[in-house]
Structure formats: C-alpha cells, structure tokens
Amino acid sequence: MRSTPMMLVIAGLMILLDFYVFQIIKMVSANAGSKTRMVLFAVYWIISVLAIIILFLLPLFDRFPKGVRSTAFALVIGLFLAKLIASVFFLVDDIRRGIQWLAGKLFFTNTEGEGIQDSDKMSRSLFLSWLGLGVGGTLFGSLVYGFSNKYNYKIKRLNLSFPNLPPAFKGLNIIQLSDIHSGSFTNKEAVQKGVQKVMDLKPDLILFTGDLVNNKSEEMEAYLDVFRQLNAPMGVYSVLGNHDYGDYAEWASPEEKRKNLDTLIAMQRDMGWKLLMDENVVFERNDQKIALIGIQNWSALKRFPKYGNLSKAYTGAEEAPFKILMSHDPTHWDA
C-alpha cells in the first residue's frame, strides 16, 4: 500500500467508482426535495474525498496507535469494496439498457414501442440500482458493526460420543480455540474477558488450532500475559496456522522470516503452551490411552503451502485406540 504508483492506481479506481456511484445516487434521489438531495450529495462527497485523503495519509499512520491504523485502513478498503460490489449491479443494468437501446434502433422504429421500452427500462433500472446500493450498504454496515462485534465471543458446546473412547476418558472436557489473530486486537481488557470465559468452562484440555497472529510475532507481545493465563490439568496444546509462518508479510531476508517464526514458537513455549510440530503426545489414565496428534499447516488448496507431515506426526501414536488430530485447515480433512 505504500508504493506510490499502487496508491495512485487505487486512488484512480476510487475516483472512478465515486463518480459512477454518484450517477446512480442522483437517479434514485430524483424525486426527493432539493434540500434533501443537496445534503445527500454533500455527505456522499465528503465521505468519498476523506477516504482518498486517508489513503494517501496511511504511511503517516505508523505514528498512531494500532487501533487507529487498523480502523482507518479497514474503513477505506471497506468503502472501496462496497462501492465496487454495488457497481456490479449498476453495470449489469447499463449493459442491459445498452442492449435494449441497440435492439430498439435496429428493430423498432415506432415511437409507441420506444415508449413501452422506456417505461420498462426505468422500473428495472431503479430496482437494480436500489439493489446495488442495498448490497453495498449492507457490506459496509457489516464492516462497521464488526469493529465492536469482534469481541462478542460465542461458546459452541458439542457433546460427542465415540465407541472406541476408553472409559477412563469419558466426560473429558476439551476447549478448542482457533484463529486468535492477535494483530487485529485493540482492546486488551476485552481479550482478557475472552480468556476468562474459557477458564470459567473448567477445561480438562485446551487445544489451539492455529493463526495466533496475522503476520508477525510482535503482534502477540502485548497479549502474552493474558494468554499465559490459559491452563488446564492435561495442558494447553497448539499447532501453527497459515498466517503464523509469515508468508503474507514482506521480509528483508529469509533469515528474518525464520527468526520471526522462531520467536512465535518461543512465545508459545513462554505462555506454557505445548506446540506440536508434526508430533504427538499420549495421555494415560488407569492404564488406558488416547493420543493427541498435531500437524503443521497442510491445505488441499494449491495457493497454500503444505508444511505438515501427517505420517511423521502419527508415528508413535499407533498404540492408542483413540486419537485426536489438530490441523488448522479444514480442507485437510476432506483431502
């Protein structure tokens, strides 16, 4: 985003979208009063111009708190995507009208026919325009709602039964957490409440299935003391997700990228978590055993690297009649 040519291209696209969407707003507000239209147009252009200004000021936002940077970036991109998706509906209508106009020129010559087409055109155009504005507005509204909703934690309870589960482990209370993405946090107190929710469930075993950060280990630094509070009698175990490897960030060298991953691994050790890197652990109660297998990220999707080695992770767990597999990407199960 800090590349000037790239920012100019994005700004140019934003300006084109601004004018395109504005034409639709003018059309759907044609029957509104002049004062209402004036206020509507002013609000629209103030927001649009501010978004472009913020886009060019983003490099300066490094001096601001992370929450301000994240919010500003999300609002600009969210507004752009909302207008882009809305424009798809507008474009469909423009193409339809273009085809209709061309057909009218080629095959219809009487005025009565053109009048019928025009009446039909207006009703369909208004429908598609309102639909486009509605979809785009809903998308942007969902983004704004998400700023407060990301700390609205949900607990999903599942009662599971397996014929091969050893009786000694019946009633085992396992808590699974995933995709913490600590780089998106801006409210430490709210994160603390989430951790307390987990501990209030009195888990026997806690499993974290990857994506501790968005990109870099430094995102976790401010929250180590919070997540260190997670504990369970059988332990806290984790695996890596696709974001944990630093594949989506720019690094000065491969060594710097590797150091970032090493730091993230050390952080989990510091928090008391046991990171399973293609390995397993066997639990025993009353001479009965179950195994926990943890594999590095492995995806069936071609665009994601396959770091994990299931055969290696499985070795040594054969003796346990019941096994739990921790794997970040759901496509791994399907594959």
Side-chain angles (χ1 to χ4, degrees), residues 88-161:
V88 172
F89 292 87
F90 308 152
L91 185 60
V92 168
D93 182 53
D94 285 340
I95 292 173
R96 181 192 68 80
R97 285 192 292 169
I99 294 173
Q100 189 178 48
W101 176 83
L102 184 61
K105 289 293 184 180
L106 293 175
F107 304 110
F108 298 97
T109 56
N110 62 84
T111 306
E112 183 180 357
E114 290 177 356
I116 294 172
Q117 290 176 9
D118 188 65
S119 174
D120 180 62
K121 175 191 70 175
M122 286 302 296
S123 60
R124 291 184 183 180
S125 293
L126 283 173
F127 171 75
L128 286 171
S129 297
W130 278 115
L131 182 62
L133 291 172
V135 171
T138 300
L139 174 66
F140 187 69
S142 299
L143 171 70
V144 174
Y145 173 68
F147 288 139
S148 60
N149 192 51
K150 64 181 175 182
Y151 301 113
N152 185 20
Y153 309 111
K154 302 293 183 184
I155 298 171
K156 186 175 183 180
R157 293 177 170 85
L158 294 174
N159 293 316
L160 304 175
S161 177

Side-chain angles (χ1 to χ4, degrees), residues 210-211 239-242 244-245 261 264 268 275 277 296-297 328:
D211 280 359
V239 293
L240 296 175
N242 55 302
D244 294 324
Y245 295 91
L261 180 58
L264 189 67
Q268 298 198 39
L275 179 65
M277 301 279 285
Q296 295 190 69
N297 190 59
H328 176 71

Side-chain angles (χ1 to χ4, degrees), residues 183-198:
S184 299
F185 290 147
T186 55
N187 187 336
K188 191 171 183 177
E189 183 179 346
V191 177
Q192 173 66 58
K193 290 180 180 179
V195 168
Q196 188 57 50
K197 269 181 176 284
V198 173

Side-chain angles (χ1 to χ4, degrees), residues 50-86:
L50 278 176
I52 295 173
I53 292 174
I54 292 174
L55 174 68
F56 283 99
L57 291 180
L58 280 176
L60 303 178
F61 274 48
D62 285 344
R63 305 171 187 174
F64 291 84
K66 184 178 69 175
V68 175
R69 299 197 309 266
S70 301
T71 301
F73 179 76
L75 286 174
V76 171
I77 297 301
L79 190 61
F80 173 75
L81 291 176
K83 289 180 180 179
L84 185 64
I85 291 174

